[in-house]
Amino acid sequence: MSKIHVTTTVNGDEVEFLCDSRETLLDVLRDRLNLTGAKEGCGTGDCGACSVEVDGRLVCSCLMLGAEAEGKSIATVEGIAEGEELHPLQKKFIEYAALQCGICTPGILVAAKNLLERNPDPTETEVRYWLAGNLCRCTGYDKIIRAVMDTAKDMREAS
Amino acid sequence: MKQTVSIRGATHTDLQHDSAVKHVTGRADYTDDIAEPIGTLHAYLGTSTVAHGRIRDIDFDAVKSAPGVVGILTAADIPGVNDVSPTGRHDEPVFATDIVEFWGQPIFAVVAESRDQARRAAALAKVDYEILPHVTDAADAMAQGYPHVTEPLKLERGDVAEGQKAPNRIKGQMRVGGQDHTYLEGHIAFAEPGEDEDVIVHSSTQHPSEAQHMVAHVLGVPSHSVVVNVRRMGGGFGGKESQMNLFCAVAAVAAKKWNRAVKIRPDRDQDMESTGKRHDFVVDYDVAFDEEGRIHAVEGQFAARCGWTSDLSGPVTDRALFHADNAYFYPHVRLTSRPMKTNTVSNTAFRGFGGPQGVIAAERMVEEIAYQLGKDPLEIRKLNFYGGPGRDLTPYHQTVEDNVILRLVEELEEDADYQARRRAVLDHNAKGGLIRKGIALTPVKFGISFTATWYNQAGALVHLYNDGSIMLNHGGTEMGQGLNTKVAQVVADAFQVDIDRIKITKTTTEKVPNTSATAASSGSDLNGMAAQNACDQIKTRLVEWAAAKWNVTEEEVRFLPNEVRVGDDVHGFNDFIKAAYMDRVQLSAAGFYKTPKIHWDRAKGQGRPFYYYAYGASVSEVSVDTLTGEYVIDRVDVLHDVGKSLNPILDKGQVEGAFVQGMGWLTTEELWWDQKGQLKTHAPSTYKIPLASDIPRVFNVKLADWSENRELTIKRSKAVGEPPFMLPISVFEALGMAVASVADYRECPRLDAPATPERVLMAIDRLQGA
């Protein structure tokens, strides 16, 4: 099978890769670009563990083909921190112990960051429903919701 | 002596998960994230598409010619024994040979250059079956005379016939659904071949020692040739206790056969179809009680859908009986288990391990009594709690010595304002609107220890390097519960050093052998004690050495925060350790622990299977739409006993997570098989675990900060993994109350679990028609 040449931007860096026409963006990120932060939880877009941003839009990378990334700007969990300086959301997730096994955490952080970029002052209900596309089996979500609400407050106060 | 500083990461303090920074940056490596060597192959299972049948013929031609396929593994390729039964019953072949016994049973594996190629090729095999009759349900299995997968258990005490002479008696049946683990990281094993007979398997297993022994058994090599490594899991919940054996075995056989690294990772659908789940139960109960509501006798039969093999169904169904009393004294009691064989995937461990199915049956009986007598179920509960001598003996003849349930329940009742809220709910419902409310307060008592007594042992390995850094290893596995963090806190405490000095290393069968599964909530109880034992050994040597070297008594050698005081001199910890090394003190130790006091005679149904009990209680309030059966959980209050918590923030996380997971079990998570015996709920698209939008609107979780384990557990803490899983029975019962309100609470609503909106609506219709 002939491979497709794709040029895209990932976490601000220009990236080129060759992929199969059937290869998902998730597989490209994990297997070709060694960005293993996004995880495959279900492979059918139902769990959110593979969440990334594509041109600012929140998508399940298991539902998008790698070839579709041509010319787009991709943001993954690996790009959330500025070097070693953690993003406020990351700090709050740690402070609130809003993670346990941690495998849903990258997707949830990408989703939460996307929410706060769209809506810096979400209600608790908005946070709950925005994150309803990201399954977590360990925490029971409460600490995640608190962490997101508290980050939003801090970020509003800081801006 | 002035001493105000303290170490970072001591026990009984909040400390975040040791991998938290890696978790939030995406840098925590799970098994699938380990860099693959060049030439890594990928395996995928080919599974049965009938529930029961004889394999007449398999045509692999299309599989073999599919792109990228390197080869196929069948039972004939297994060099050792074609069996991964965790209990040694030899009833669980890796690959089926002539008979398949459930839809989804592995028959072969395809090995290909890529996972996608292997997965696509596996679907191309043409298997010709002679279809045989099948049974998927435990009740049908009993009706059709299907066998037990393992010996049933009977617990008996008192004179049941005498107790049944009480003025009231209710018989009923309850169906309690199963549950898929839905760990977000599915099953995975990644095997690297070594020289001679060696193989290293990286896997996401809760039981590396068993995986090691199983791989050796399947390869036909000694256990010393197999290493199993687990750094962390993306959730386990019991689903990776025995079920990973299959994947480890397949990866290892393929790695040895082709002498290349081989990874196997089923997709979510195959993970759900081909690996075991929580047992669903059909419970027949018969409870006799007096006018006050005091229980005189209980008779219960607990039939479980065990699936095609025994797996862990024996101990799971045993634990259901051990918890069929929950927190209540039954003067006369007879409980029997029926571990039924069915043509379904072999059910397995899942948080609570049969206990929840026992507890919910006890709570159903309380509900029955309360509705019959027109009383608040909480009143019936308090009346029947275990008490002092004469009312403290369990159906398995263990005395309940550490009972705190009444104190816990009364404290919660007060804190959550239960009585006033219950009156408000009754007033609301009396208005007769379409939205009905319910409220319930339910207790939990849960026995801690593996009922297989020999499992209650653990090992740890602690190295102090001569720069003062510490390496910690133990037999437990990290699946998100924070076990590694807690055990490191124990070590930090023991040496009085900051936790940052301690490196937590992956669980590996090379460092600590013959470990038990990280299961039964036992992780920190067992491994914490083993680690403490290792530290004590090293400290004893250090104290003896320092006392002799500086000519002081041993009492004058004291470990203070990050330093050691010897007589009047204070040494920095690093200098002290370096000096000990120079004087040739052994700075490494293997620790060991076995739980005292426990014993169990299964044939007699008597003993002390549990070292102690953990307790908890919760109040839940719900609103139900009587036109659709849909509901919301308005408020939940929890008070839970973890003894003297090793790490309150992590323990609270366990309680919250268990609550929501248990809520899923009792509300939205429904496993559904079609007539052909195929599981149709095999992905999150069709199987609904709780979402962020589903959790209680108000969720108050508190640990009972006054509690201390009366037994000598690690720092007087209590196990926390499983007990809170049963707290959301209050949600289930509150839903029942809202339903019962449509018939003015005259009748016990008898909801089966899970109480999906559909079931709630059907129950409302039934009661309104009555």
Side-chain angles (χ1 to χ4, degrees):
Chain A
M1 205 187 300
S2 68
K3 300 224 193 259
I4 299 167
H5 178 255
V6 177
T7 306
T8 185
T9 305
V10 179
N11 299 328
D13 297 330
E14 188 167 300
V15 169
E16 286 179 75
F17 57 84
L18 292 170
C19 70
D20 295 332
S21 58
R22 293 198 294 212
E23 214 169 319
T24 64
L25 175 60
L26 174 63
D27 285 344
V28 167
L29 289 170
R30 291 181 54 83
D31 299 339
R32 300 197 184 275
L33 305 179
N34 299 315
L35 293 169
T36 55
K39 312 293 182 189
E40 181 181 310
C42 68
T44 49
D46 295 305
C47 79
C50 64
S51 298
V52 299
E53 287 179 293
V54 178
D55 287 346
R57 185 176 162 200
L58 182 64
V59 302
C60 287
S61 60
C62 73
L63 291 185
M64 181 172 157
L65 294 172
E68 293 178 283
E70 175 67 38
K72 302 262 197 292
S73 176
I74 316 282
T76 72
V77 68
E78 288 89 348
I80 294 182
E82 299 270 349
E84 291 304 306
E85 177 62 24
L86 298 181
H87 185 277
L89 268 171
Q90 292 172 313
K91 290 183 190 162
K92 284 285 181 211
F93 268 58
I94 295 172
E95 180 193 328
Y96 276 72
L99 50 87
Q100 286 177 24
C101 85
I103 202 153
C104 72
T105 310
I108 289 186
L109 283 167
V110 170
K113 179 169 167 280
N114 188 268
L115 169 66
L116 297 188
E117 279 161 6
R118 287 158 185 271
N119 179 1
D121 191 9
T123 64
E124 190 174 315
T125 304
E126 284 170 330
V127 172
R128 285 166 179 251
Y129 280 86
W130 185 266
L131 293 179
N134 291 80
L135 301 183
C136 169
R137 194 52 151 166
C138 297
T139 63
Y141 302 107
D142 196 63
K143 289 176 173 172
I144 293 173
I145 295 161
R146 310 271 140 252
V148 174
M149 293 296 290
D150 199 21
T151 309
K153 181 168 157 281
D154 280 3
M155 287 175 72
R156 283 195 307 276
E157 284 166 4
S159 64
Chain B
M1 186 165 37
K2 149 168 98 76
Q3 191 57 64
T4 50
V5 284
S6 61
I7 56 166
R8 200 184 92 78
T11 54
H12 311 307
T13 63
D14 284 343
L15 183 72
Q16 319 304 341
H17 194 287
D18 64 278
S19 294
V21 173
K22 291 195 281 281
H23 287 148
V24 299
T25 51
R27 291 200 291 245
D29 283 343
Y30 301 81
T31 303
D32 199 32
D33 303 332
I34 297 170
E36 297 165 9
I38 289 171
T40 295
L41 298 173
H42 298 264
Y44 209 83
L45 296 175
T47 63
S48 160
T49 53
V50 299
H52 191 194
R54 188 179 305 280
I55 300 172
R56 288 199 195 106
D57 183 51
I58 309 179
D59 176 357
F60 283 124
D61 285 354
V63 182
K64 287 176 183 160
S65 58
V69 170
V70 173
I72 295 167
L73 287 182
T74 66
D77 297 294
I78 290 178
V81 184
N82 182 24
D83 175 63
V84 284
S85 160
T87 49
R89 294 177 73 93
H90 293 275
D91 62 354
E92 191 169 341
V94 177
F95 295 124
T97 49
D98 52 339
I99 300 274
V100 289
E101 298 194 273
F102 78 98
W103 191 302
Q105 182 176 345
I107 301 172
F108 63 94
V110 181
V111 177
E113 298 289 346
S114 78
R115 178 171 175 264
D116 187 57
Q117 288 169 331
R119 183 176 168 208
R120 288 173 192 277
L124 301 176
K126 293 187 187 72
V127 186
D128 181 27
Y129 302 98
E130 176 195 341
I131 307 280
L132 301 171
H134 72 270
V135 164
T136 56
D137 180 74
D140 293 344
M142 288 190 287
Q144 298 192 22
Y146 254 52
H148 295 134
V149 290
T150 181
E151 274 298 293
L153 174 68
K154 182 160 85 170
L155 301 180
E156 196 162 20
R157 214 198 55 242
D159 180 347
V160 173
E162 181 61 31
Q164 285 174 341
K165 291 177 185 158
N168 297 290
R169 198 167 158 192
I170 298 175
K171 292 185 191 184
Q173 186 180 74
M174 179 181 197
R175 281 176 175 263
V176 186
Q179 186 178 28
D180 185 82
H181 304 82
T182 321
Y183 25 57
L184 265 282
E185 177 208 36
H187 280 88
I188 181 162
F190 175 39
E192 296 180 88
E195 57 186 36
D196 302 326
E197 292 168 330
D198 296 355
V199 62
I200 297 170
V201 185
H202 306 272
S203 179
S204 178
T205 172
Q206 290 173 244
H207 200 346
S209 281
E210 186 177 272
Q212 175 201 20
H213 299 154
M214 285 294 160
V215 167
H217 180 64
V218 171
L219 284 175
V221 303
S223 290
H224 65 45
S225 299
V226 180
V227 174
V228 175
N229 294 330
V230 186
R231 174 59 186 92
R232 62 172 64 79
M233 283 169 268
F237 315 114
K240 296 170 178 173
E241 181 172 345
S242 64
Q243 301 298 290
M244 199 65 76
N245 296 339
L246 164 73
F247 299 97
C248 290
V250 170
V253 170
K256 291 309 281 184
K257 183 176 167 98
W258 282 282
N259 201 29
R260 286 163 75 175
V262 176
K263 185 189 277 190
I264 183 166
R265 174 169 72 85
D267 65 10
R268 180 60 60 175
D269 305 86
Q270 187 168 83
D271 188 294
M272 288 184 74
E273 284 168 350
S274 300
T275 70
K277 310 173 193 318
R278 182 184 298 285
H279 292 67
D280 36 8
F281 275 66
V282 180
V283 184
D284 289 287
Y285 54 87
D286 179 345
V287 56
F289 54 98
D290 60 26
E291 291 301 335
E292 218 188 336
R294 202 178 278 266
I295 294 169
H296 286 216
V298 167
E299 203 171 355
Q301 175 184 278
F302 291 75
R305 172 180 359 223
C306 296
W308 67 296
T309 70
S310 56
D311 182 67
L312 302 170
S313 292
V316 167
T317 47
D318 287 3
R319 193 170 269 268
L321 299 198
F322 287 130
H323 289 82
D325 58 341
N326 192 15
Y328 310 116
F329 175 63
Y330 298 160
H332 306 283
V333 56
R334 180 161 54 238
L335 305 167
T336 49
S337 70
R338 304 251 354 231
M340 300 310 301
K341 175 161 182 151
T342 50
N343 295 113
T344 51
V345 66
S346 190
N347 282 332
T348 192
F350 193 149
R351 202 176 205 165
F353 205 72
Q357 295 93 319
V359 170
I360 201 167
E363 297 309 327
R364 163 55 54 84
M365 287 186 275
V366 167
E367 258 188 299
E368 291 272 21
I369 296 168
Y371 280 96
Q372 165 110 2
L373 300 178
K375 293 186 175 185
D376 177 355
L378 180 58
E379 198 184 320
I380 308 299
R381 295 198 157 98
K382 289 183 182 170
L383 198 61
N384 286 287
F385 280 152
Y386 279 107
R391 288 185 61 82
D392 59 356
L393 203 58
T394 62
Y396 43 95
H397 301 257
Q398 172 165 351
T399 304
V400 181
E401 298 170 342
D402 57 6
N403 191 357
V404 293
I405 195 64
L406 187 62
R407 176 174 177 186
L408 205 78
V409 161
E410 288 184 341
E411 197 172 308
L412 178 67
E413 182 183 0
E414 183 75 26
D415 280 2
D417 201 17
Y418 171 79
Q419 294 298 346
R421 288 169 59 206
R422 181 175 152 88
R423 279 193 300 277
V425 164
L426 290 169
D427 289 348
H428 170 91
N429 290 343
K431 291 177 196 150
L434 293 176
I435 305 291
R436 294 300 179 92
K437 292 176 82 71
I439 187 168
L441 192 163
T442 60
V444 176
K445 162 182 139 286
F446 195 82
I448 302 298
S449 291
F450 286 100
T451 54
T453 302
W454 68 90
Y455 258 38
N456 297 286
Q457 59 173 309
L461 183 65
V462 174
H463 297 329
L464 252 165
Y465 293 99
N466 68 21
D467 64 352
S469 68
I470 300 171
M471 187 227 67
L472 164 63
N473 196 272
H474 58 84
T477 54
E478 177 61 45
M479 59 195 97
Q481 79 280 45
L483 172 62
N484 282 345
T485 311
K486 286 183 173 180
V487 179
Q489 286 177 279
V490 170
V491 174
D493 246 15
F495 289 113
Q496 282 296 298
V497 295
D498 292 336
I499 198 153
D500 317 75
R501 188 186 288 271
I502 301 164
K503 171 83 176 176
I504 300 164
T505 53
K506 69 174 183 279
T507 311
T508 171
T509 53
E510 280 185 311
K511 281 187 180 158
V512 178
N514 306 317
T515 55
S516 296
T518 306
S521 310
S522 68
S524 44
D525 276 14
L526 297 177
N527 296 292
M529 287 298 256
Q532 178 153 286
N533 173 255
C535 296
D536 287 346
Q537 293 175 44
I538 299 172
K539 279 170 70 181
T540 301
R541 291 179 211 137
L542 288 169
V543 168
E544 277 176 13
W545 158 77
K549 181 181 176 76
W550 283 289
N551 200 22
V552 296
T553 65
E554 292 188 0
E555 290 69 36
E556 289 175 279
V557 182
R558 296 186 54 211
F559 288 81
L560 304 175
N562 296 307
E563 57 193 29
V564 183
R565 178 176 288 273
V566 182
D568 293 330
D569 298 331
V570 173
H571 304 265
F573 189 78
N574 290 355
D575 297 339
F576 182 78
I577 295 304
K578 187 64 176 247
Y581 164 75
M582 294 305 291
D583 278 354
R584 298 186 292 177
V585 177
Q586 188 192 356
L587 297 174
S588 169
F592 186 75
Y593 175 72
K594 56 181 178 179
T595 311
K597 295 189 178 180
I598 50 174
H599 53 93
W600 171 238
D601 184 336
R602 192 174 186 275
K604 281 192 187 150
Q606 294 189 15
R608 177 180 178 162
F610 303 121
Y611 189 26
Y612 64 89
Y613 297 97
Y615 300 84
S618 74
V619 180
S620 295
E621 184 176 337
V622 303
S623 297
V624 175
D625 182 332
T626 54
L627 293 181
T628 63
E630 290 170 294
Y631 44 79
V632 291
I633 295 146
D634 301 310
R635 176 173 163 184
V636 167
D637 295 79
V638 169
L639 182 60
H640 194 79
D641 158 34
V642 294
K644 197 160 158 44
S645 174
L646 283 174
N647 184 327
I649 198 169
L650 294 187
D651 282 349
K652 212 167 152 246
Q654 285 295 299
V655 176
E656 291 177 7
F659 190 96
V660 171
Q661 195 174 62
M663 205 182 86
W665 168 54
L666 296 172
T667 57
T668 60
E669 296 183 35
E670 186 172 28
L671 294 164
W672 195 83
W673 283 264
D674 70 8
Q675 299 242 310
K676 290 179 175 170
Q678 185 183 12
L679 177 69
K680 300 301 273 188
T681 48
H682 51 72
S685 52
T686 44
Y687 181 80
K688 187 175 181 295
I689 71 166
L691 310 175
S693 49
D694 294 328
I695 67 165
R697 296 292 184 262
V698 178
F699 195 15
N700 302 317
V701 175
K702 224 174 101 179
L703 303 177
D705 52 15
W706 41 263
S707 179
E708 222 173 75
N709 200 330
R710 73 196 297 276
E711 300 296 342
L712 257 176
T713 53
I714 186 72
K715 310 280 179 187
R716 301 279 181 185
S717 66
K718 286 190 180 183
V720 67
E722 294 164 296
F725 182 85
M726 283 140 280
L727 294 169
I729 290 173
S730 61
V731 171
F732 185 71
E733 194 177 298
L735 290 170
M737 181 187 178
V739 168
S741 75
V742 304
D744 205 23
Y745 316 104
R746 284 187 306 272
E747 199 181 315
C748 179
R750 290 196 171 178
L751 279 174
D752 281 340
T756 56
E758 191 180 9
R759 281 222 177 87
V760 167
L761 187 61
M762 288 192 293
I764 289 169
D765 284 351
R766 175 166 48 78
L767 289 184
Q768 281 176 332

